[in-house]
Amino acid sequence: MASLSFLAVFLVHICLFASFSSAEDPNIYHEFEVSYITASPLGVPQQVIAINGNFPGPTINVTTNNNVIVNVRNKLDENLLITWAGIQQRRSSWQDGVPGTNCPIPPKWNWTYNFQVKDQIGSFFYFPSLNLQRASGGFGGFIINNRAIIPIPFATPDGDITILIGDWYTRNHTALRKALDAGKDLGIPDGVLINGKGPYQYNNTLVPDGIDYATFEVKPGKTYRLRVHNVGVSTTLNFRIQNHNLLLAESEGSYTVQQNYTSLDIHVGQSFSFLVTMDQNASSDYYVVASARFVNETHWKKVTGVAILHYTNSKGKAAGPLPEAPNDEFDKTYSMNQARSIRWNVSASGARPNPQGSFRYGSINVTDVYVLKNKPPVVINGRRRTTLSGISFVNPSTPIRLADWKKLKGIYKLDFPTRPLTGAPRLETSVINGTFRGFIEIILQNNDTKMQSYHVDGYAFFVVGMDYGDWTENSRGTYNKWDGIARSTVQVYPGAWTAILISLDNVGVWNIRAENLDSWYLGQETYIRVVNPEATNKTELPAPDNALFCGALSKLQKPEDISSATSITINESKLFFTLLMIICTLIPIFY
């Protein structure tokens, strides 16, 4: 009897531990099998990248501070990495999923990502980061909900809808890659997809029969949160819904000042949340439109993406012309003014119970200033390349973070220039030397004729200014030092500049890149290396036990380290935890 009592007490303690662990930082598990499938989103059979047989992939839905465990099995015929755009990977660039921090997952192997969505809320997406693979799919939404104790600055929506928009080619990523390697442009996309599907047949001439289109079913009078992401290759898209207002509420983890828009430009790599109330009379369905911006409409009409908003009491099909986008093809001032109107809601609570506005970024002294200038592609050593400040980045075979860990020399140079080079452009693995807990100002100067957008891993940065012409020291007089939006991807208009401020409090090696896939692939990126001079595990987690080795360290990689056992371990962990909770439930009954 005493032994039974001891067993019961032991089980109670285990159950208490399990309940505490679950309540504080639950684990969220996902299995990703990444493979090719054949699909015909624009009516032409083509190879796309699917996750678990689906294109697009599943939406990851978690809560602030959850631990996210994603086992990725690579069934492609080439290397793979998944990156989680906008997820800050606090203290753990090991999980970032880009070549500067991670060795790729070889074909037929699997690797398990394990990271915490620490102190974040908002709308993000994931995608494959290597060699233009995103142009073939492999992407999906990533939602981080607030904890229950943290209020949101609007009434709880009646539903949540993820919408992935993006320009699309009927050539797959390997064909697009060959074109770029041959010194060619990618040319005009073949269409725009919405959630992996082609346009509704709004026009019998432009849209052939048999195209499968996306439908979003809603209930009249209800308000929905629409999380819209531009996951495309290189085209800014204008998003709008026929006869409905878009109340902007959040962008990439920051609540915004709530404003109504009839349409909004969403640049490559950007994410927005809109609150949309279904306040129409449902006499028909309504068009959901994503159309190309800043292009010659005569040649680009075919790229319009159209889905359907269907009220449950709708009386007919969507009809009439598509709602129009702003008519400013040759004058982007309207779009820039729209971008400037997006402000941070400094009175809203964030992921933590302290108000976001308590961080007065405008009063912090800047420690470093970098001007990153891009130009049209240039030829370096006989190959067409893109540059930042005269440097076309070359990813080393040994990731930068891995080289630091193993104290390898000569893998990269910590000498990225603070101002653009004046000499001939060159190929380099040149990295920005970030100051830990410094406050860096980066000016993105676009001297190309194309719209560009840029992403910074590991951080949310403050967008403090943008204007046409060349940035000068006097441009700081126009900065918004109070409520500039904090986000991870920002657009830079042709012949213009955008200024951002970043608080470098996250130790690691962090990618700065063009989100336009062609510019990124041809070299328009670098990294910020942020190191704590004090040796401590408090500011950076140790390398994961399952770290992959490649390049100069490939001899350290043991084939048996990466096997189906990883997948089994995840499933067994889930099963064990489920059985444990069942036992915990039954203890009061039998004892």
Side-chain angles (χ1 to χ4, degrees):
M1 190 70 181
S3 61
L4 285 175
S5 297
F6 172 79
L7 177 62
V9 170
F10 174 75
L11 286 173
V12 166
H13 279 84
I14 291 294
C15 292
L16 285 171
F17 172 78
S19 64
F20 289 148
S21 299
S22 175
E24 289 181 7
D25 297 319
N27 294 332
I28 307 299
Y29 297 92
H30 281 272
E31 292 277 352
F32 277 15
E33 183 178 279
V34 184
S35 65
Y36 296 121
I37 63 170
T38 299
S40 306
L42 293 176
V44 179
Q46 65 179 118
Q47 182 190 75
V48 305
I49 296 176
I51 296 179
N52 302 336
N54 296 313
F55 166 69
T59 297
I60 294 178
N61 197 325
V62 299
T63 299
T64 300
N65 292 348
N66 282 175
N67 298 302
V68 182
I69 302 167
V70 185
N71 184 61
V72 176
R73 183 178 297 278
N74 180 11
K75 290 203 167 183
L76 305 182
D77 57 0
E78 57 186 22
N79 289 338
L80 173 72
L81 280 174
I82 301 289
T83 192
W84 322 89
I87 307 302
Q88 293 177 17
Q89 306 291 358
R90 304 296 298 180
R91 302 190 300 140
S92 187
S93 61
W94 306 105
Q95 307 291 330
D96 201 28
V98 288
T101 51
N102 299 106
C103 291
I105 307 167
K108 299 181 181 180
W109 285 30
N110 67 273
W111 195 74
T112 303
Y113 290 87
N114 190 339
F115 57 89
Q116 186 179 33
V117 287
K118 182 68 175 171
D119 295 334
Q120 281 192 270
I121 55 93
S123 308
F124 312 94
F125 67 95
Y126 61 84
F127 65 91
S129 65
L130 298 181
N131 296 326
L132 256 75
Q133 288 172 350
R134 190 174 83 199
S136 286
F139 44 71
F142 197 121
I143 297 170
I144 307 179
N145 302 288
N146 62 297
R147 290 178 291 159
I149 62 170
I150 309 297
I152 58 177
F154 45 82
T156 302
D158 297 296
D160 204 297
I161 300 172
T162 294
I163 301 179
L164 305 167
I165 62 177
D167 58 351
W168 188 257
Y169 293 83
T170 54
R171 293 171 288 163
N172 70 0
H173 66 283
T174 56
L176 297 176
R177 216 158 56 201
K178 287 178 182 176
L180 292 176
D181 289 341
K184 301 175 183 177
D185 284 324
L186 296 182
I188 298 171
D190 298 297
V192 168
L193 303 190
I194 299 181
N195 283 7
K197 297 182 178 181
Y200 172 78
Q201 196 173 36
Y202 66 95
N203 181 301
N204 293 337
T205 303
L206 297 173
V207 185
D209 291 328
I211 299 289
D212 190 19
Y213 57 88
T215 299
F216 306 107
E217 185 171 282
V218 295
K219 295 180 179 179
K222 301 295 185 180
T223 297
Y224 294 79
R225 183 172 182 172
L226 274 56
R227 302 175 190 261
V228 187
H229 314 269
N230 186 336
V231 297
V233 175
S234 62
T235 307
T236 294
L237 299 174
N238 181 267
F239 181 80
R240 54 200 185 274
I241 302 177
Q242 186 180 25
N243 291 7
H244 290 73
N245 282 325
L246 307 171
L247 182 62
L248 182 62
E250 175 257 336
S251 177
E252 296 159 24
S254 293
Y255 293 124
T256 66
V257 173
Q258 293 175 28
Q259 300 178 79
N260 271 311
Y261 297 88
T262 55
S263 70
L264 190 70
D265 290 342
I266 304 180
H267 305 272
V268 179
Q270 289 188 335
S271 302
F272 289 97
S273 276
F274 303 104
L275 301 175
V276 181
T277 300
M278 306 306 155
D279 54 6
Q280 299 302 297
N281 59 19
S283 58
S284 69
D285 292 341
Y286 297 92
Y287 295 124
V288 178
V289 182
S291 63
R293 291 284 274 138
F294 315 125
V295 296
N296 187 319
E297 284 295 325
T298 305
H299 299 102
W300 284 65
K301 279 187 176 179
K302 64 179 181 179
V303 303
T304 300
V306 182
I308 292 298
L309 186 72
H310 173 70
Y311 281 50
T312 53
N313 63 340
S314 173
K315 298 178 178 62
K317 294 183 178 180
L322 298 181
E324 291 187 359
N327 185 20
D328 61 346
E329 178 186 339
F330 302 106
D331 180 8
K332 302 168 185 65
T333 304
Y334 174 89
S335 181
M336 183 179 284
N337 286 338
Q338 187 187 62
R340 288 169 172 156
S341 73
I342 299 171
R343 300 298 182 95
W344 195 29
N345 184 345
V346 296
S347 63
S349 294
R352 301 178 297 280
N354 62 303
Q356 293 178 341
S358 64
F359 189 76
R360 311 295 189 200
Y361 70 86
S363 60
I364 300 174
N365 292 327
V366 169
T367 54
D368 299 284
V369 180
Y370 281 81
V371 178
L372 306 185
K373 180 183 287 188
N374 76 285
K375 294 180 178 180
V378 296
V379 175
I380 307 176
N381 297 344
R383 296 196 64 185
R384 190 168 179 262
R385 301 284 298 184
T386 54
T387 58
L388 273 181
S389 294
I391 294 176
S392 188
F393 190 82
V394 179
N395 270 296
S397 59
T398 307
I400 297 163
R401 186 63 197 89
L402 206 62
D404 277 356
W405 177 32
K406 295 299 183 180
K407 296 181 172 54
L408 299 183
K409 303 297 182 183
I411 302 298
Y412 64 92
K413 296 178 180 178
L414 206 58
D415 63 352
F416 197 92
T418 58
R419 294 294 188 276
L421 298 176
T422 55
R426 61 177 188 248
L427 299 170
E428 291 280 5
T429 306
S430 181
V431 174
I432 292 174
N433 187 10
T435 303
F436 178 52
R437 293 187 176 145
F439 200 56
I440 186 172
E441 177 183 15
I442 296 178
I443 294 90
L444 300 161
Q445 179 78 52
N446 183 2
N447 282 27
D448 200 349
T449 57
K450 294 169 52 180
M451 179 74 73
Q452 298 284 348
S453 55
Y454 290 90
H455 179 88
V456 180
D457 282 352
Y459 297 98
F461 52 72
F462 299 96
V463 182
V464 294
M466 59 178 65
D467 206 349
Y468 289 103
D470 288 334
W471 180 89
T472 68
E473 301 285 337
N474 293 332
S475 301
R476 292 194 180 99
T478 67
Y479 283 6
N480 175 358
K481 295 188 175 182
W482 168 244
D483 61 355
I485 187 69
R487 64 185 316 161
S488 58
T489 306
V490 68
Q491 72 273 28
V492 191
Y493 292 86
W497 57 267
T498 296
I500 62 175
L501 297 174
I502 315 174
S503 177
L504 297 181
D505 61 349
N506 194 12
V507 170
V509 175
W510 306 107
N511 192 214
I512 301 180
R513 61 176 177 267
E515 274 294 299
N516 303 45
L517 296 187
D518 49 351
S519 299
W520 183 10
Y521 177 75
L522 292 175
Q524 207 168 97
E525 66 173 322
T526 186
Y527 285 81
I528 304 180
R529 179 177 176 268
V530 182
V531 175
N532 183 353
E534 297 180 14
T536 173
N537 282 338
K538 292 182 179 179
T539 54
E540 186 181 27
L541 299 173
D545 293 337
N546 65 343
L548 294 173
F549 296 100
C550 55
L553 297 168
S554 57
K555 62 182 180 295
L556 298 179
Q557 183 60 51
K558 298 178 182 178
E560 63 268 22
D561 285 352
I562 306 297
S563 69
S564 58
T566 310
S567 176
I568 294 170
T569 301
I570 286 179
N571 288 324
E572 285 180 343
S573 298
K574 293 164 70 176
L575 178 61
F576 171 77
F577 192 80
T578 301
L579 290 173
L580 183 59
M581 296 314 292
I582 292 172
I583 292 171
C584 295
T585 304
L586 294 177
I587 284 176
I589 299 174
F590 292 101
Y591 186 78

